[in-house]
Amino acid sequence: MTAHPVSPNTVLANALTSAEDVLAPRIHAAKPDRITFGVGTQINGAPHIGTSLVQALTFAAAARTRDRYGLPVAVAFGALDNAPYELTTDPATGHRYQRAYAQALGEREVTAQVDHLYRPLFEALSKATGVPYHVETYSEQQRGEDYRRTWLRLLPRIDACRWWLAPSTGVPHVRMPCPEPGCGWAEKYAERTSVVTEGNGCAQVHAHCLHHGSYSGMIGPGHGAYLDLATLYRNLVKELALSTDAGNLHVMVKGGDWVFGSILVDGALQAAGLAQGGLPTRLFCPQVVTDTGAKLSKSLIREGRASLPDGAEPWMLDTRLWSGSLAEYAERLLALAEVLFSDPRHFFRSYSAAELGRMMTTAGSRTAA
């Protein structure tokens, strides 16, 4: 058997010679001095194969783009430590509350978890491709001046964006975790959270804690309370902020499940006044699915709501269980990336966990003699 799959043609694949050709219109229009490939992951335990695949494809895409255009490239890894660590329901109101990894573990423990679970693979991928990288947690991102200034400038336009960001309710979720020591709980759907713009370029956020009642906090350009935004809202602010980075073209690398969500983010970006030519450059990677066609979900399997699909291996849910060395794992991923990048038909599609496991086995090592 060959490592190469048998892939059907698609409209997009038929229009391309190479998968990275989807980046060409923006590169030629922007004429950037450098390109940064951004990839984000929720910090909610050990990575699974889908996470590792997107990360490996990010480094591979960066290397291919560097070699093709002669531009310096880098990878930016967004460690989303605002992922829910625990959830509960207020019995009095029925409102859902969450405490994120950032608040439950603290910044030092989050950094240690990133260093333990993610950085070794990034080091191996970076060494193999010659592409540098850096890591930024969401906690670091949200307290950055550019991110906060962008959010504050967006507030007067939020009414035009709100149905894109929250099509079911029209209320984009802003969460400000309770600042009481040892707490950090926030209403998941922000039912009792309101934002009031202040005259000095700041905003006052009013919220309600499960344990401590009402509280408020000020958010300014370079200071203030913790600012947590729901997923679509967070991406809107991040991509607006990056659009002003002159000379640096930012490519958002995402799993295929993000295709539909990005339609809403693009609608919000245009509603906020960003011109069509300024919309983010994105590369959607193959999705790992079960035999039912659903995305392979370690959460559903861990909760007993789905089973490990036929042909899948336990290491696919926890990549630490891979039988070989980390260096071999990185090489297998990059060899698989070469297969997927060898034809647009192979890249712009999904793969069952069993098929991906087969390809990981047969693709071989890039450094083999």
Side-chain angles (χ1 to χ4, degrees):
M1 294 182 69
T2 175
H4 286 72
V6 177
S7 301
N9 202 2
T10 64
V11 172
L12 178 57
N14 195 50
L16 307 175
T17 302
S18 302
E20 67 270 21
D21 288 344
V22 295
L23 308 178
R26 296 297 175 83
I27 294 174
H28 286 290
K31 297 179 175 58
D33 300 321
R34 60 196 184 280
I35 303 176
T36 298
F37 290 75
V39 59
T41 298
Q42 285 194 345
I43 304 303
N44 58 356
H48 66 22
I49 182 58
T51 298
S52 293
L53 177 63
V54 173
Q55 292 169 352
L57 290 171
T58 301
F59 277 91
R64 292 172 69 90
T65 304
R66 174 199 60 204
D67 296 344
R68 177 169 174 174
Y69 293 99
L71 292 170
V73 298
V75 167
F77 175 53
L80 303 177
D81 57 345
N82 62 330
Y85 179 82
E86 52 188 335
L87 298 166
T88 191
T89 300
D90 181 357
T93 64
H95 291 179
R96 295 284 281 168
Y97 279 81
Q98 72 175 46
R99 193 153 69 130
Y101 275 76
Q103 283 71 47
L105 301 184
E107 193 162 348
R108 180 177 298 180
E109 181 60 31
V110 166
T111 299
Q113 186 163 310
V114 172
D115 289 346
H116 176 64
L117 295 176
Y118 294 92
R119 195 179 290 273
L121 179 59
F122 271 74
E123 289 287 346
L125 294 171
S126 178
K127 181 179 179 181
T129 60
V131 175
Y133 78 96
H134 70 272
V135 176
E136 182 182 53
T137 64
Y138 175 76
S139 293
E140 293 169 331
Q141 182 185 72
Q142 64 83 32
R143 66 172 173 251
E145 185 171 347
D146 285 347
Y147 188 89
R148 291 185 170 228
R149 284 191 184 278
T150 300
W151 180 69
L152 290 165
R153 288 197 301 266
L154 179 64
L155 286 179
R157 296 286 302 160
I158 200 63
D159 193 55
C161 304
R162 63 191 185 96
W163 287 106
W164 289 104
L165 299 175
S168 297
T169 64
V171 182
H173 301 152
V174 176
R175 290 185 287 262
M176 186 178 69
C178 177
E180 289 292 328
C183 187
W185 286 93
E187 277 190 321
K188 182 173 179 59
Y189 302 114
E191 293 96 338
R192 289 175 289 186
T193 299
S194 60
V195 180
V196 180
T197 303
E198 302 288 342
N200 56 355
C202 297
Q204 187 83 18
V205 180
H206 301 271
H208 194 278
C209 176
L210 174 67
H211 302 294
H212 300 102
S214 298
Y215 62 97
S216 63
M218 188 72 73
I219 295 177
H223 62 277
Y226 194 101
L227 175 63
D228 185 14
L229 305 175
T231 303
L232 298 181
Y233 200 173
R234 180 187 73 238
N235 276 262
L236 169 65
V237 175
K238 178 186 71 174
E239 292 173 355
L240 274 174
L242 293 178
S243 69
T244 63
D245 189 2
N248 189 2
L249 178 66
H250 289 267
V251 178
M252 310 299 163
V253 185
K254 297 179 178 293
D257 56 317
W258 253 99
V259 169
F260 307 110
S262 293
I263 295 172
L264 293 173
V265 176
D266 285 348
L269 285 164
Q270 293 179 74
L274 190 65
Q276 178 72 30
L279 291 177
T281 306
R282 298 195 182 97
L283 180 65
F284 295 106
C285 295
Q287 188 169 242
V288 185
V289 299
T290 69
D291 49 2
T292 70
K295 183 176 77 167
L296 181 68
S297 169
K298 64 181 179 182
S299 299
L300 291 179
I301 295 173
R302 185 172 56 228
E303 295 165 3
R305 298 164 60 191
S307 58
L308 190 67
D310 291 342
E313 300 291 339
W315 68 264
M316 293 181 174
L317 299 183
D318 184 342
T319 58
R320 296 173 298 180
L321 302 178
W322 172 263
S323 59
S325 67
L326 178 67
E328 181 197 10
Y329 181 60
E331 285 297 327
R332 292 286 180 131
L333 284 169
L334 290 173
L336 176 59
E338 287 189 358
V339 173
L340 299 183
F341 273 113
S342 68
D343 190 317
R345 298 185 187 197
H346 301 334
F347 194 89
F348 296 107
R349 52 161 290 186
S350 298
Y351 289 89
S352 70
E355 174 68 358
L356 201 67
R358 182 192 73 79
M359 292 169 65
M360 281 281 285
T361 302
T362 57
S365 171
R366 297 164 71 247
T367 57

